[in-house]
Structures are given as structure tokens and as C-alpha cells.
């Protein structure tokens, strides 16, 4: 009888241990899946932001005013901060993105954006990147840009 009782308690202990391990495994799997899902959303956001900034750079150079304006949703706090390699910095007026001056807009060339840094929180983000702008005549200028972004509903 004592032997049957010991086997019974060992079975209960073993069964309790299995349930505990399964709960821990379920918690771990849930946490990992949540982290993957959040990372996937952040990756989608960073890809969308990069595509938007590439479009913004291309439409500035091509002179497509409407496509360029579509890249912007001007708010009272909208800012574009540009830093040049010689240590100068300036803020580009956001209205210039919607109504660009014709003497500097659509002059051809290309741009390459690199070294992106993102901070994304829900529908708000800031991004900074380096830009190498090649003018139509082949001259290259470099800048570091920072933009504050809102997801447009």
C-alpha cells in the first residue's frame, strides 16, 4: 500500500511539474511571438518611411510639385533640420515643401540617402539620415537631415 501511495504522489508531482513547464513554455512562446510581431511592424514602418523619403528626394529633383507635396502633411510643429559638412545648419521652412521656389526646384540630379536612424512610437516618428545630392552638372553636396513625422490617416 505504501508503494502505491508513493507512486501516486510521484505521478502527481510529475504531472504538476509538466503543467508548470508547459505554462512556462506557453508564456515564453507568447512573449517571443509578441516581440516578433512588434519588430515586424517596426520593420514595415521603417521601410515605408524610407520609401517616402526616397520619393521626396526624387520628386524634388524631377520637379513634380504635386507628387512632392503629397509627401508632406504640414503641421504647426513640422521641422526640417539640415546640417552641412562644414558645420552649418539651417531649418527649411515646411511651407517650402508644398510651395517650392522655382529657382531651386526641379533642377535634375539625384540623391542617395544613407545611415538612417529611426525612433518610431505609434503614429509618430523622427528620422535622421545622410544625403549625398548629385546636381545635374555632377557636383556632389552632403548633408545630414532630421525630420519629425506623423502617420497621415
Amino acid at each position: 500500500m505504501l508503494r502505491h501511495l508513493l507512486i501516486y504522489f510521484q505521478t502527481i508531482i510529475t504531472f504538476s511539474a509538466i503543467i508548470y513547464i508547459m505554462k512556462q513554455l506557453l508564456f515564453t512562446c507568447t512573449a517571443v511571438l509578441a516581440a516578433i510581431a512588434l519588430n515586424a511592424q517596426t520593420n514595415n514602418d521603417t521601410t515605408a518611411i524610407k520609401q517616402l523619403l526616397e520619393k521626396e528626394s526624387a520628386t524634388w529633383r524631377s520637379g513634380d510639385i504635386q507628387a512632392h507635396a503629397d509627401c508632406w502633411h504640414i503641421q504647426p510643429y513640422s521641422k526640417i533640420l539640415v546640417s552641412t559638412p562644414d558645420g552649418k545648419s539651417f531649418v527649411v521652412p515646411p511651407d517650402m515643401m508644398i510651395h517650392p521656389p522655382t529657382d531651386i526646384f526641379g533642377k535634375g540630379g539625384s540623391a542617395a540617402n544613407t545611415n538612417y536612424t529611426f525612433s518610431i512610437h505609434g503614429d509618430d516618428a523622427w528620422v535622421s539620415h545622410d544625403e549625398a545630392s548629385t546636381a545635374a552638372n555632377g557636383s556632389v553636396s552632403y548633408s545630414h537631415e532630421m525630420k519629425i513625422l506623423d502617420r497621415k490617416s
Side-chain angles (χ1 to χ4, degrees):
M1 170 109 170
L2 184 60
R3 180 182 162 121
H4 290 293
L5 194 56
L6 284 174
I7 290 173
Y8 175 74
F9 283 127
Q10 286 177 341
T11 304
I12 291 175
I13 292 171
T14 304
F15 185 67
S16 296
I18 289 172
I19 290 175
Y20 175 77
I21 291 170
M22 290 176 69
K23 284 181 180 178
Q24 292 297 318
L25 185 59
L26 179 63
F27 175 77
T28 302
C29 288
T30 303
V32 168
L33 290 175
I36 289 170
L38 289 174
N39 188 42
Q41 182 60 44
T42 299
N43 287 340
N44 290 342
D45 290 342
T46 58
T47 299
I49 291 169
K50 282 182 183 181
Q51 289 171 344
L52 176 67
L53 294 177
E54 295 294 328
K55 177 182 175 185
E56 187 256 345
S57 294
T59 56
W60 179 269
R61 284 152 187 81
S62 72
D64 188 339
I65 291 176
Q66 186 57 52
H68 189 75
D70 289 345
C71 295
W72 293 91
H73 179 65
I74 303 300
Q75 296 295 309
Y77 48 83
S78 296
K79 300 281 183 223
I80 305 164
L81 177 64
V82 179
S83 174
T84 61
D86 59 359
K88 295 179 183 174
S89 63
F90 56 94
V91 175
V92 177
D95 192 57
M96 184 185 282
M97 298 299 105
I98 305 298
H99 307 289
T102 56
D103 62 324
I104 61 172
F105 185 73
K107 300 298 180 188
S110 63
N113 298 335
T114 58
N115 298 325
Y116 286 96
T117 303
F118 296 92
S119 179
I120 301 170
H121 302 280
D123 288 340
D124 303 315
W126 65 260
V127 60
S128 65
H129 63 87
D130 296 331
E131 180 174 296
S133 298
T134 304
N137 67 6
S139 65
V140 180
S141 61
Y142 300 93
S143 63
H144 183 77
E145 299 184 12
M146 176 181 274
K147 296 176 182 167
I148 299 168
L149 309 169
D150 288 328
R151 186 185 322 267
K152 188 175 174 182
S153 300

